[in-house]
Every structure is written in C-alpha cells, then in structure tokens.
Amino acid sequence: MLIYNVFGRHIGVQRKNERWLVFRADLTERKFSRLYEIVIPDDMTEGEIASWLGDIFHEAATERHPNVERIG
C-alpha cells in the first residue's frame, strides 16, 4: 500500500484488479478504512497520485501542512 501525508491526513492507496482503491490510514494502529467517495482514475500512474490527491484535498492545506507527500 502506498501511504501519503495529504495536508496532515494519512491516506492509503492500493492497486487491486486494475483499479486504485483509497483508504483512510491510521498508522499508529495499522488500520485502514476504505474511502469510497474518493476516486482515482484507473489509468493514472503511481507518480501522478500525489498531485491528484493535492487537487482533491487542496482546501485542507494549512501553513503547518502545505503539501502532499508520499511517506510509505
């Protein structure tokens, strides 16, 4: 699973059966909850995901958390 810090929120992304699945990630407890309302286009490459998440969640950006970064 790919893990991203999206403006201070941890999001997991996993490729399964030619589709991208998105999860809320609790790294402390190693729990992942599926987020069905967030869709990543199936033809998107792994390298494009951080930018896509940034576009979706840009309103959550703060001075303390101004970026989207892959952390795992």
Side-chain angles (χ1 to χ4, degrees), residues 2-72:
L2 308 172
I3 305 294
Y4 295 87
N5 180 330
V6 181
F7 307 117
R9 177 179 176 186
H10 293 123
I11 300 290
V13 177
Q14 181 179 48
R15 186 80 171 172
K16 186 173 183 182
N17 298 326
E18 304 297 318
R19 304 198 78 132
W20 290 111
L21 306 178
V22 182
F23 299 84
R24 177 176 294 117
D26 180 335
L27 300 181
T28 304
E29 295 194 22
R30 293 292 212 188
K31 292 183 180 180
F32 301 93
S33 303
R34 179 80 190 273
L35 297 172
Y36 292 94
E37 66 274 9
I38 301 167
V39 178
I40 297 174
D42 298 330
D43 62 348
M44 187 164 286
T45 66
E46 186 176 313
E48 297 172 308
I49 292 174
S51 178
W52 181 261
L53 292 172
D55 288 344
I56 292 172
F57 292 106
H58 69 273
E59 293 177 358
T62 65
E63 282 187 36
R64 185 171 179 208
H65 300 288
N67 300 311
V68 175
E69 302 173 304
R70 183 171 169 196
I71 58 173

